Amino acid sequence: HVSVGLRERKGESESEGRNKSKNESDGQSESEKQKEKERGERTHLVDALKSSHDLLAEARVALAKQQVDAHLVLEEEVALVRADAERERDRDRRRLLLDLQRERIKVQRENKEHKEREHKERERERNERDMQTVEVLRQNALLHAQV
């Protein structure tokens, strides 16, 4: 009632007052709609940002897993290379030992053959001396027989 009286004093009619009030509420409704729209856009942007952060975190985790896997594969490859190198060294060591053993057997055989040759040579020399001694004795016996 007081507001109606004021409006009438200002020269506004009751219908003009309702229209003005409706326009104000429409304006208020428009600004609320705008605020709601902005709030929705902010929410959408925040959700998109959270989503991109989540994707980035997932990518980091995936990258870390790949790095761990790559490191494990590398360690496995290093272990295989080391094992191959160890087998190669063992094979070389066995080959050298066999070569040394063959060489030792060869030297032993050569030493044995050399000793046998020396023994035969000494035996031949001894037989020669014995034959010479027999010849000297025979000739001495012939000389004595003539006498």
Side-chain angles (χ1 to χ4, degrees), residues 9 26 30 39 45 86 135:
R9 274 189 236 141
D26 283 351
E30 279 297 317
R39 206 174 306 127
L45 290 174
E86 185 65 30
E135 185 60 32

Side-chain angles (χ1 to χ4, degrees), residues 1-18 20-21 24:
H1 306 355
V2 173
S3 66
V4 172
L6 288 173
R7 264 184 272 147
E8 288 176 355
R9 274 189 236 141
K10 289 184 177 178
E12 295 177 346
S13 69
E14 200 172 302
S15 65
E16 288 175 345
R18 276 195 301 267
K20 187 176 181 185
S21 173
E24 287 175 1

Side-chain angles (χ1 to χ4, degrees), residues 23 36 112 141:
N23 286 343
E36 188 61 35
K112 181 180 178 188

Side-chain angles (χ1 to χ4, degrees), residues 23-133:
N23 286 343
E24 287 175 1
S25 73
D26 283 351
Q28 202 173 23
S29 173
E30 279 297 317
S31 89
E32 284 181 21
K33 283 181 185 177
Q34 183 63 28
K35 286 180 184 176
E36 188 61 35
K37 183 180 175 187
E38 290 172 0
R39 206 174 306 127
E41 289 174 356
R42 280 194 304 271
T43 301
H44 177 71
L45 290 174
V46 167
D47 289 345
L49 185 59
K50 285 180 181 177
S51 176
S52 65
H53 278 286
D54 291 346
L55 289 174
L56 182 59
E58 288 175 16
R60 284 183 179 146
V61 167
L63 180 60
K65 284 180 181 178
Q66 285 178 343
Q67 287 174 332
V68 167
D69 290 346
H71 184 70
L72 292 175
V73 166
L74 185 61
E75 282 182 348
E76 196 173 296
E77 288 177 3
V78 166
L80 289 173
V81 167
R82 284 182 179 158
D84 285 348
E86 185 65 30
R87 281 193 295 278
E88 183 88 17
R89 280 193 298 273
D90 288 346
R91 199 172 24 252
D92 289 347
R93 218 175 289 130
R94 283 192 299 275
R95 193 175 302 122
L96 284 172
L97 286 172
L98 285 172
D99 288 349
L100 286 172
Q101 193 174 15
R102 283 189 205 108
E103 187 64 25
R104 191 178 77 239
I105 289 170
K106 179 182 167 189
V107 167
Q108 287 173 342
R109 186 178 55 246
E110 287 172 354
N111 284 344
K112 181 180 178 188
E113 289 171 356
H114 181 70
K115 285 179 182 179
E116 286 175 354
R117 277 194 303 274
E118 282 183 345
H119 177 71
K120 284 181 182 179
E121 181 66 26
R122 283 193 304 272
E123 194 172 305
R124 189 185 60 72
E125 288 173 358
R126 190 170 36 247
N127 284 341
E128 249 183 56
R129 282 192 307 269
D130 287 349
M131 292 295 277
Q132 288 173 355
T133 305

